[in-house]
Coordinates of all heavy atoms in Angstrom, one line a residue:
M1 N -133.1 -23.8 82.6 CA -133.4 -22.7 83.5 C -132.1 -22.3 84.1 O -131.2 -23.0 84.5 CB -134.4 -23.3 84.5 CG -134.8 -22.2 85.5 SD -136.3 -22.8 86.5 CE -135.9 -22.0 88.0
A2 N -131.9 -21.0 84.3 CA -130.7 -20.4 84.7 C -130.6 -20.6 86.3 O -131.6 -20.6 87.0 CB -130.6 -19.0 84.6
N3 N -129.4 -20.9 86.8 CA -129.1 -21.1 88.2 C -129.2 -19.8 88.9 O -128.6 -18.8 88.6 CB -127.7 -21.6 88.4 CG -127.4 -21.9 89.8 OD1 -128.2 -21.7 90.7 ND2 -126.2 -22.4 90.0
K4 N -130.1 -19.7 89.8 CA -130.4 -18.4 90.6 C -129.3 -18.0 91.5 O -129.3 -16.9 92.1 CB -131.8 -18.4 91.2 CG -131.8 -19.3 92.5 CD -133.2 -19.2 93.1 CE -133.3 -20.0 94.3 NZ -134.6 -19.9 95.0
Y5 N -128.4 -18.9 91.8 CA -127.2 -18.7 92.6 C -126.0 -18.4 91.8 O -124.8 -18.3 92.4 CB -127.1 -19.8 93.6 CG -128.3 -20.0 94.4 CD1 -129.1 -21.1 94.3 CD2 -128.6 -19.0 95.4 CE1 -130.1 -21.2 95.1 CE2 -129.7 -19.2 96.2 CZ -130.5 -20.3 96.1 OH -131.5 -20.5 96.8
Q6 N -126.1 -18.3 90.5 CA -124.9 -18.1 89.7 C -124.2 -16.8 90.0 O -124.9 -15.8 90.2 CB -125.3 -18.1 88.2 CG -124.2 -18.0 87.2 CD -124.8 -18.1 85.7 OE1 -125.9 -18.2 85.6 NE2 -123.9 -18.1 84.8
K7 N -122.9 -16.9 90.2 CA -122.1 -15.7 90.5 C -121.5 -15.1 89.2 O -121.3 -15.9 88.2 CB -121.0 -16.1 91.5 CG -121.6 -16.5 92.9 CD -120.4 -16.7 93.7 CE -120.9 -17.2 95.2 NZ -119.9 -17.4 96.0
G8 N -121.0 -13.9 89.2 CA -120.3 -13.3 88.3 C -118.8 -13.6 88.3 O -118.4 -14.5 89.1
P9 N -118.1 -13.0 87.4 CA -116.6 -13.3 87.4 C -115.9 -12.8 88.8 O -116.5 -11.9 89.3 CB -116.1 -12.6 86.2 CG -117.1 -11.5 86.0 CD -118.4 -12.0 86.5
D10 N -114.8 -13.5 89.1 CA -114.1 -13.2 90.3 C -112.8 -12.5 89.9 O -111.7 -13.0 89.7 CB -113.8 -14.3 91.1 CG -113.1 -14.0 92.4 OD1 -113.2 -12.8 92.8 OD2 -112.5 -14.9 93.0
L11 N -112.9 -11.1 89.6 CA -111.9 -10.4 89.2 C -111.3 -9.4 90.3 O -110.4 -8.5 90.1 CB -112.3 -9.4 88.0 CG -112.7 -10.2 86.8 CD1 -113.2 -9.2 85.8 CD2 -111.7 -11.1 86.1
K12 N -111.6 -9.8 91.6 CA -111.2 -8.9 92.7 C -109.7 -8.8 92.8 O -109.1 -7.8 93.0 CB -111.7 -9.4 94.1 CG -113.2 -9.2 94.2 CD -113.5 -9.9 95.6 CE -115.0 -10.2 95.5 NZ -115.4 -11.2 96.6
R13 N -109.0 -9.9 92.5 CA -107.4 -9.9 92.6 C -106.8 -9.0 91.5 O -105.7 -8.8 91.6 CB -107.0 -11.3 92.6 CG -107.3 -12.1 91.4 CD -106.9 -13.5 91.5 NE -107.3 -14.2 90.4 CZ -106.9 -15.4 90.0 NH1 -106.2 -16.1 90.8 NH2 -107.3 -16.0 88.9
F14 N -107.6 -8.7 90.4 CA -107.0 -7.9 89.4 C -107.4 -6.5 89.5 O -106.8 -5.6 88.7 CB -107.6 -8.4 88.0 CG -107.1 -9.8 87.7 CD1 -108.1 -10.9 87.8 CD2 -105.9 -10.1 87.4 CE1 -107.8 -12.1 87.4 CE2 -105.5 -11.4 87.1 CZ -106.3 -12.4 87.1
M15 N -108.2 -6.0 90.5 CA -108.4 -4.7 90.8 C -107.2 -3.8 90.9 O -106.3 -4.3 91.6 CB -109.3 -4.5 92.0 CG -110.8 -5.0 91.7 SD -111.7 -4.1 90.4 CE -112.0 -2.6 91.3
D16 N -107.2 -2.7 90.3 CA -106.0 -1.7 90.4 C -104.8 -2.3 89.8 O -103.6 -1.8 90.1 CB -105.8 -1.3 91.8 CG -107.0 -0.5 92.4 OD1 -107.7 0.1 91.7 OD2 -107.4 -0.8 93.5
K17 N -104.9 -3.3 88.9 CA -103.6 -3.9 88.3 C -103.8 -3.5 86.8 O -104.8 -3.3 86.1 CB -103.6 -5.4 88.3 CG -103.7 -5.9 89.8 CD -102.3 -5.7 90.4 CE -102.3 -6.5 91.7 NZ -101.6 -5.9 92.7
R18 N -102.6 -3.4 86.1 CA -102.6 -3.1 84.6 C -102.9 -4.5 84.0 O -102.5 -5.5 84.2 CB -101.2 -2.6 84.2 CG -100.6 -1.5 85.0 CD -101.1 -0.1 84.5 NE -100.8 0.0 83.1 CZ -101.3 1.0 82.3 NH1 -102.2 1.8 82.9 NH2 -101.0 1.2 81.1
L19 N -103.9 -4.2 83.0 CA -104.3 -5.4 82.2 C -104.3 -5.1 80.7 O -104.4 -3.9 80.3 CB -105.8 -5.7 82.5 CG -106.2 -6.2 83.9 CD1 -107.8 -6.3 83.9 CD2 -105.5 -7.5 84.2
R20 N -104.1 -6.0 79.9 CA -104.3 -5.9 78.5 C -105.5 -6.8 78.2 O -105.6 -8.0 78.4 CB -103.0 -6.6 77.7 CG -103.2 -6.4 76.2 CD -102.0 -6.9 75.5 NE -100.9 -5.9 75.6 CZ -99.7 -6.2 76.0 NH1 -99.3 -7.5 76.4 NH2 -98.7 -5.3 76.2
L21 N -106.4 -6.2 77.4 CA -107.6 -6.9 77.0 C -107.6 -7.1 75.5 O -107.2 -6.1 74.7 CB -108.9 -6.0 77.2 CG -109.2 -5.7 78.7 CD1 -110.6 -4.9 78.7 CD2 -109.3 -7.0 79.5
S22 N -107.8 -8.3 75.0 CA -107.9 -8.5 73.6 C -109.5 -8.5 73.3 O -110.2 -9.2 74.0 CB -107.4 -9.9 73.2 OG -105.9 -9.9 73.5
L23 N -109.9 -7.8 72.3 CA -111.3 -7.6 72.0 C -111.6 -8.1 70.6 O -110.7 -8.3 69.9 CB -111.6 -6.1 72.1 CG -111.3 -5.4 73.3 CD1 -111.5 -3.9 73.1 CD2 -112.0 -6.0 74.5
N24 N -112.8 -8.2 70.3 CA -113.3 -8.6 68.9 C -112.7 -7.6 67.9 O -112.5 -6.4 68.2 CB -114.8 -8.5 68.9 CG -115.5 -9.6 69.6 OD1 -114.9 -10.6 69.9 ND2 -116.8 -9.4 69.9
G25 N -112.6 -8.1 66.7 CA -112.0 -7.3 65.6 C -110.5 -6.9 65.8 O -110.1 -5.9 65.3
N26 N -109.7 -7.8 66.3 CA -108.3 -7.6 66.5 C -108.0 -6.3 67.3 O -107.0 -5.7 66.9 CB -107.6 -7.6 65.2 CG -107.5 -9.1 64.7 OD1 -107.6 -10.0 65.5 ND2 -107.5 -9.2 63.4
R27 N -108.8 -5.9 68.3 CA -108.5 -4.7 68.9 C -107.8 -5.0 70.2 O -108.2 -6.1 70.9 CB -109.8 -3.9 69.2 CG -110.4 -3.3 68.0 CD -111.7 -2.7 68.1 NE -112.6 -3.8 68.5 CZ -113.8 -3.6 68.9 NH1 -114.3 -2.4 69.1 NH2 -114.7 -4.6 69.2
R28 N -107.0 -4.1 70.8 CA -106.4 -4.4 72.2 C -106.4 -3.1 72.9 O -106.0 -2.0 72.4 CB -104.9 -4.8 72.0 CG -104.9 -6.3 71.5 CD -103.5 -6.9 71.4 NE -102.7 -6.0 70.5 CZ -101.4 -6.0 70.3 NH1 -100.7 -6.7 71.3 NH2 -100.8 -5.3 69.6
L29 N -106.6 -3.2 74.2 CA -106.6 -2.1 75.2 C -105.8 -2.5 76.3 O -105.7 -3.6 76.7 CB -108.0 -1.7 75.7 CG -109.0 -1.0 74.8 CD1 -110.4 -0.9 75.5 CD2 -108.5 0.4 74.4
L30 N -105.1 -1.4 76.7 CA -104.1 -1.6 77.9 C -104.7 -0.6 78.9 O -104.9 0.6 78.6 CB -102.7 -1.3 77.5 CG -101.7 -1.4 78.6 CD1 -101.3 -2.8 78.8 CD2 -100.4 -0.6 78.1
G31 N -104.9 -0.9 80.2 CA -105.3 0.0 81.2 C -105.4 -0.7 82.7 O -105.1 -1.8 82.8
K32 N -105.7 0.2 83.5 CA -105.8 -0.2 84.9 C -107.3 -0.6 85.2 O -108.2 0.2 85.0 CB -105.3 0.8 85.9 CG -105.3 0.4 87.3 CD -104.7 1.6 88.1 CE -103.3 1.9 87.8 NZ -102.7 2.9 88.7
L33 N -107.6 -1.8 85.8 CA -108.8 -2.3 86.1 C -109.5 -1.5 87.2 O -108.9 -1.6 88.4 CB -108.9 -3.8 86.4 CG -110.3 -4.4 86.7 CD1 -111.2 -4.3 85.5 CD2 -110.1 -5.8 87.1
R34 N -110.6 -0.8 87.0 CA -111.2 0.0 88.1 C -112.5 -0.6 88.5 O -113.1 -0.2 89.7 CB -111.4 1.4 87.7 CG -110.2 2.1 87.7 CD -109.5 2.2 89.0 NE -108.4 3.1 89.0 CZ -107.6 3.2 90.0 NH1 -107.8 2.6 91.2 NH2 -106.5 4.0 89.9
G35 N -113.2 -1.4 87.7 CA -114.5 -2.0 88.1 C -114.9 -3.0 87.1 O -114.4 -3.1 86.0
Y36 N -115.9 -3.8 87.6 CA -116.5 -4.9 86.7 C -117.9 -5.3 87.2 O -118.2 -4.9 88.4 CB -115.5 -6.2 86.6 CG -115.4 -6.8 87.9 CD1 -116.2 -7.9 88.3 CD2 -114.4 -6.4 88.8 CE1 -116.1 -8.5 89.4 CE2 -114.2 -7.0 90.0 CZ -115.0 -8.1 90.3 OH -114.9 -8.7 91.5
D37 N -118.6 -6.0 86.5 CA -119.9 -6.6 87.0 C -120.1 -8.0 86.6 O -119.2 -8.6 86.1 CB -121.1 -5.6 86.5 CG -121.3 -5.7 85.0 OD1 -120.6 -6.5 84.3 OD2 -122.0 -4.9 84.4
A38 N -121.3 -8.6 86.9 CA -121.6 -9.9 86.6 C -121.5 -10.3 85.2 O -121.4 -11.5 84.8 CB -122.9 -10.2 87.2
F39 N -121.7 -9.3 84.3 CA -121.6 -9.6 82.8 C -120.3 -9.4 82.2 O -120.1 -9.4 81.0 CB -122.7 -8.8 82.1 CG -124.1 -8.8 82.6 CD1 -124.7 -8.0 83.4 CD2 -124.8 -10.0 82.3 CE1 -125.9 -8.1 83.9 CE2 -126.1 -10.1 82.8 CZ -126.6 -9.2 83.5
L40 N -119.3 -9.3 83.0 CA -117.9 -9.0 82.7 C -117.7 -7.7 81.9 O -116.7 -7.5 81.2 CB -117.3 -10.1 81.8 CG -115.9 -10.4 81.7 CD1 -115.3 -10.7 83.1 CD2 -115.5 -11.6 80.8
N41 N -118.6 -6.8 82.1 CA -118.4 -5.4 81.6 C -117.2 -4.8 82.5 O -117.4 -5.1 83.7 CB -119.6 -4.6 81.8 CG -120.8 -5.0 80.9 OD1 -120.5 -5.5 79.7 ND2 -122.0 -5.0 81.4
V42 N -116.3 -4.2 82.0 CA -115.2 -3.7 82.8 C -115.0 -2.2 82.6 O -115.3 -1.6 81.5 CB -113.9 -4.4 82.5 CG1 -114.0 -5.9 82.9 CG2 -113.4 -4.3 81.2
V43 N -114.4 -1.6 83.6 CA -114.0 -0.2 83.5 C -112.4 -0.1 83.6 O -111.9 -0.7 84.5 CB -114.6 0.7 84.6 CG1 -114.1 2.1 84.6 CG2 -116.1 0.7 84.6
L44 N -111.8 0.5 82.6 CA -110.4 0.6 82.5 C -110.2 2.1 82.6 O -110.6 2.9 81.9 CB -109.9 0.1 81.2 CG -109.7 -1.4 80.9 CD1 -109.1 -1.7 79.6 CD2 -109.1 -2.2 82.1
E45 N -109.1 2.5 83.5 CA -108.7 3.8 83.7 C -107.3 4.0 83.0 O -106.6 2.9 83.0 CB -108.6 4.2 85.2 CG -108.4 5.6 85.5 CD -108.5 5.8 86.9 OE1 -107.7 5.4 87.7 OE2 -109.6 6.5 87.4
E46 N -107.0 5.1 82.6 CA -105.7 5.4 81.9 C -105.5 4.4 80.7 O -104.4 3.9 80.5 CB -104.5 5.3 82.9 CG -104.6 6.2 84.0 CD -103.6 5.9 85.1 OE1 -102.8 5.0 84.8 OE2 -103.7 6.5 86.2
A47 N -106.5 4.2 79.9 CA -106.5 3.2 78.8 C -105.9 3.7 77.7 O -105.8 4.9 77.4 CB -108.0 2.8 78.4
V48 N -105.1 2.7 77.0 CA -104.4 3.1 75.8 C -104.8 2.1 74.8 O -104.9 0.9 75.0 CB -102.8 3.0 76.0 CG1 -102.1 3.2 74.7 CG2 -102.4 4.0 77.0
D49 N -105.1 2.6 73.5 CA -105.5 1.7 72.3 C -104.2 1.2 71.7 O -103.5 2.0 71.1 CB -106.3 2.5 71.4 CG -106.9 1.7 70.3 OD1 -106.6 0.5 70.1 OD2 -107.3 2.3 69.3
E50 N -103.9 0.0 71.8 CA -102.8 -0.6 71.3 C -102.9 -1.1 69.9 O -102.0 -1.5 69.2 CB -102.3 -1.8 72.0 CG -101.7 -1.4 73.5 CD -101.1 -2.7 74.1 OE1 -101.6 -3.7 74.0 OE2 -100.1 -2.5 74.8
T51 N -104.1 -0.9 69.3 CA -104.4 -1.4 68.0 C -103.7 -0.6 66.9 O -103.1 -1.1 66.0 CB -105.9 -1.4 67.7 OG1 -106.5 -2.1 68.7 CG2 -106.2 -2.1 66.4
G52 N -103.8 0.7 67.0 CA -103.2 1.6 65.9 C -102.0 2.3 66.4 O -101.0 1.8 66.6
T53 N -102.3 3.7 66.7 CA -101.3 4.5 67.0 C -100.8 4.5 68.5 O -99.9 5.2 68.8 CB -101.7 6.0 66.7 OG1 -102.9 6.2 67.5 CG2 -102.1 6.2 65.2
G54 N -101.5 3.8 69.4 CA -101.2 3.8 70.7 C -101.7 5.0 71.5 O -101.1 5.4 72.6
Q55 N -102.7 5.6 71.0 CA -103.2 6.9 71.7 C -103.9 6.6 73.0 O -104.5 5.5 73.1 CB -104.1 7.6 70.7 CG -105.4 7.0 70.4 CD -106.2 7.9 69.4 OE1 -105.7 8.8 68.8 NE2 -107.5 7.6 69.3
S56 N -103.8 7.5 73.8 CA -104.5 7.4 75.2 C -106.1 7.7 74.9 O -106.4 8.6 74.2 CB -103.9 8.4 76.2 OG -104.7 8.3 77.3
V57 N -106.8 6.9 75.6 CA -108.3 7.0 75.4 C -108.9 7.3 76.8 O -110.2 7.5 76.9 CB -109.0 5.8 74.7 CG1 -108.6 5.8 73.3 CG2 -108.7 4.5 75.4
G58 N -108.1 7.4 77.8 CA -108.7 7.8 79.1 C -109.4 6.7 79.8 O -108.9 5.5 79.8
T59 N -110.5 6.9 80.4 CA -111.3 6.0 81.1 C -112.4 5.4 80.2 O -113.1 6.2 79.6 CB -112.0 6.7 82.4 OG1 -111.0 7.1 83.2 CG2 -112.9 5.6 83.1
V60 N -112.5 4.1 80.1 CA -113.5 3.5 79.2 C -114.3 2.4 79.9 O -113.8 1.8 80.8 CB -112.7 3.0 77.9 CG1 -112.1 4.0 77.1 CG2 -111.8 1.9 78.2
V61 N -115.4 2.1 79.3 CA -116.2 1.0 79.8 C -116.2 -0.1 78.6 O -116.6 0.4 77.5 CB -117.7 1.3 80.1 CG1 -118.5 0.1 80.5 CG2 -117.7 2.4 81.2
V62 N -115.9 -1.3 78.8 CA -115.8 -2.2 77.8 C -116.8 -3.3 78.0 O -117.0 -3.9 79.1 CB -114.4 -3.0 77.7 CG1 -114.3 -4.0 76.6 CG2 -113.2 -1.9 77.5
R63 N -117.7 -3.4 77.0 CA -118.7 -4.4 77.2 C -118.2 -5.8 77.2 O -117.4 -6.2 76.4 CB -119.8 -4.3 76.0 CG -121.0 -5.0 76.2 CD -122.0 -4.8 75.2 NE -123.2 -5.6 75.4 CZ -124.3 -5.5 74.7 NH1 -124.4 -4.6 73.8 NH2 -125.3 -6.4 74.9
G64 N -118.8 -6.6 78.1 CA -118.1 -7.9 78.4 C -118.2 -8.9 77.2 O -117.3 -9.8 77.1
N65 N -119.2 -8.8 76.3 CA -119.3 -9.8 75.3 C -118.3 -9.5 74.2 O -118.2 -10.4 73.2 CB -120.7 -9.9 74.6 CG -121.2 -8.7 74.1 OD1 -120.5 -7.6 74.1 ND2 -122.3 -8.8 73.4
S66 N -117.6 -8.4 74.2 CA -116.6 -8.1 73.3 C -115.1 -8.5 73.7 O -114.2 -8.4 72.9 CB -116.5 -6.7 72.8 OG -116.2 -5.8 73.9
I67 N -115.0 -9.0 74.9 CA -113.7 -9.3 75.5 C -113.4 -10.8 75.1 O -114.3 -11.7 75.5 CB -113.7 -9.1 77.0 CG1 -113.8 -7.6 77.3 CG2 -112.4 -9.6 77.6 CD1 -114.0 -7.3 78.8
I68 N -112.2 -11.0 74.6 CA -111.8 -12.4 74.2 C -110.8 -12.9 75.3 O -110.9 -13.9 75.6 CB -111.1 -12.3 72.8 CG1 -112.2 -11.9 71.8 CG2 -110.5 -13.6 72.6 CD1 -111.6 -11.8 70.4
Q69 N -110.0 -12.0 75.7 CA -108.9 -12.4 76.7 C -108.5 -11.3 77.6 O -108.4 -10.2 77.2 CB -107.7 -12.9 75.8 CG -106.5 -13.4 76.6 CD -105.4 -13.8 75.7 OE1 -105.5 -13.8 74.5 NE2 -104.3 -14.1 76.3
F70 N -108.1 -11.7 78.7 CA -107.6 -10.8 79.8 C -106.1 -11.3 80.1 O -105.8 -12.4 80.1 CB -108.2 -11.0 81.2 CG -109.4 -10.3 81.4 CD1 -110.6 -10.8 81.1 CD2 -109.5 -9.0 82.0 CE1 -111.9 -10.2 81.3 CE2 -110.6 -8.3 82.2 CZ -111.7 -8.9 81.9
E71 N -105.3 -10.3 80.1 CA -103.8 -10.6 80.4 C -103.3 -9.6 81.5 O -103.4 -8.3 81.2 CB -102.9 -10.5 79.1 CG -101.5 -10.8 79.3 CD -100.7 -10.6 78.1 OE1 -101.3 -10.3 77.0 OE2 -99.5 -10.8 78.1
T72 N -102.8 -10.0 82.6 CA -102.3 -9.1 83.5 C -100.9 -8.8 83.3 O -100.1 -9.6 82.8 CB -102.5 -9.8 84.9 OG1 -102.0 -8.8 85.9 CG2 -101.7 -11.0 85.2
L73 N -100.5 -7.6 83.5 CA -99.1 -7.1 83.2 C -98.4 -6.9 84.6 O -97.2 -6.4 84.5 CB -99.2 -5.8 82.4 CG -99.9 -5.9 81.1 CD1 -100.0 -4.6 80.4 CD2 -99.2 -7.0 80.2
E74 N -99.1 -7.2 85.6 CA -98.4 -7.0 87.0 C -98.5 -8.2 87.7 O -99.4 -9.1 87.5 CB -99.0 -5.9 87.8 CG -98.9 -4.5 87.1 CD -99.6 -3.5 88.0 OE1 -100.0 -3.8 89.2 OE2 -99.9 -2.4 87.4
R75 N -97.7 -8.5 88.7 CA -97.8 -9.8 89.6 C -99.1 -9.6 90.4 O -99.4 -8.6 90.9 CB -96.6 -9.8 90.5 CG -96.6 -11.1 91.3 CD -95.3 -11.2 92.0 NE -94.3 -11.8 91.1 CZ -94.0 -13.1 91.2 NH1 -94.5 -13.9 92.0 NH2 -93.2 -13.6 90.4
V76 N -99.8 -10.7 90.5 CA -101.1 -10.7 91.2 C -100.8 -11.3 92.6 O -100.1 -12.2 92.9 CB -102.2 -11.5 90.5 CG1 -103.5 -11.6 91.3 CG2 -102.4 -11.0 89.2

């Protein structure tokens, strides 16, 4: 049975910081964290796809189950 008091991830200290996300399928995104929820779905602003050409993709929502790793690019 799930714990009814279970909290989501604590990413408050990473808000408005530049992050690099490693995703499933050897994909990587770089962007500024603008929001998240209990399922680790995140909103990145000014996102850049580092996988291929490095093209800007703007604001994106990344589903939490596709995120493998978070890496901050700024001091927290």
Side-chain angles (χ1 to χ4, degrees):
M1 187 166 145
N3 182 359
K4 66 180 181 177
Y5 300 108
Q6 183 176 4
K7 295 182 180 177
D10 184 21
L11 299 177
K12 289 179 204 163
R13 62 186 176 172
F14 298 110
M15 289 296 291
D16 301 321
K17 304 282 190 224
R18 303 279 300 164
L19 297 177
R20 177 179 287 128
L21 298 183
S22 296
L23 307 174
N24 289 340
N26 290 331
R27 294 173 293 171
R28 289 185 298 164
L29 284 175
L30 180 78
K32 190 178 290 188
L33 181 65
R34 286 300 186 185
Y36 64 94
D37 66 9
F39 300 104
L40 202 62
N41 299 320
V42 299
V43 177
L44 290 181
E45 192 173 71
E46 302 170 8
V48 175
D49 180 9
E50 291 190 322
T51 306
T53 61
Q55 70 180 14
S56 176
V57 290
T59 302
V60 295
V61 176
V62 181
R63 190 169 174 176
N65 66 353
S66 67
I67 298 173
I68 297 172
Q69 178 181 354
F70 277 89
E71 179 182 358
T72 182
L73 301 175
E74 299 177 18
R75 184 173 277 264
V76 180

